[in-house]
C-alpha cells in the first residue's frame, strides 16, 4: 500500500513534496551499524542493534544478523519474525 510508504508536505508555494520510503524487509543488523533514522532494509547500512531491527520490522519479516558481538539486554520480540 503506497499510503504506508509515503510522507508528504505542502509548502507555502502549494507544491506537494512526497518522499517514497521502502520500509519492507528483510532487515539487517551488523557491527558498526547505525540505528539513527535507519529502517535497516539496506544490507550495506545495517542497524547497530537487534532491538532496533525488531522495533522497525513488520510482522512476518526476516532479520539478518551479521556475525559479531552485540551487548543488549531485555530484548523483546513482540511479533512474528524469522
Amino acid at each position: 500500500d503506497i499510503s504506508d510508504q509515503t510522507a508528504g508536505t505542502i509548502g507555502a508555494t502549494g507544491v506537494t513534496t512526497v518522499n517514497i520510503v521502502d520500509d519492507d524487509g528483510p532487515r539487517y543488523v551488523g557491527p558498526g551499524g547505525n540505528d539513527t533514522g535507519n529502517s535497516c532494509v539496506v544490507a550495506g547500512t545495517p542497524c547497530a542493534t537487534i532491538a532496533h531491527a525488531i522495533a522497525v520490522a513488520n510482522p512476518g519479516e526476516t532479520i539478518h544478523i551479521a556475525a559479531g558481538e552485540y551487548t543488549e539486554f531485555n530484548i523483546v520480540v513482540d511479533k512474528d519474525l524469522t
Side-chain angles (χ1 to χ4, degrees), residues 5-6 12 26 29-30 36 38 40 47 50 54 56 65 73 82:
Q5 300 178 19
T6 61
V29 180
T36 305
N38 192 349
C40 314
C47 287
I50 298 164
I54 293 168
V56 298
I65 302 171
F73 302 95
T82 58

Side-chain angles (χ1 to χ4, degrees), residues 11-75:
T13 62
V15 175
T16 301
T17 302
V18 177
N19 299 315
I20 304 295
V21 179
D22 183 4
D23 277 356
D24 294 332
R27 310 292 168 156
Y28 299 90
V29 180
N34 183 4
D35 287 348
T36 305
N38 192 349
S39 63
C40 314
V41 294
V42 178
T45 55
C47 287
T49 64
I50 298 164
H52 182 71
I54 293 168
V56 298
N58 296 308
E61 290 184 342
T62 299
I63 298 176
H64 298 281
I65 302 171
E69 185 173 319
Y70 302 90
T71 305
E72 299 182 54
F73 302 95
N74 302 317
I75 295 175

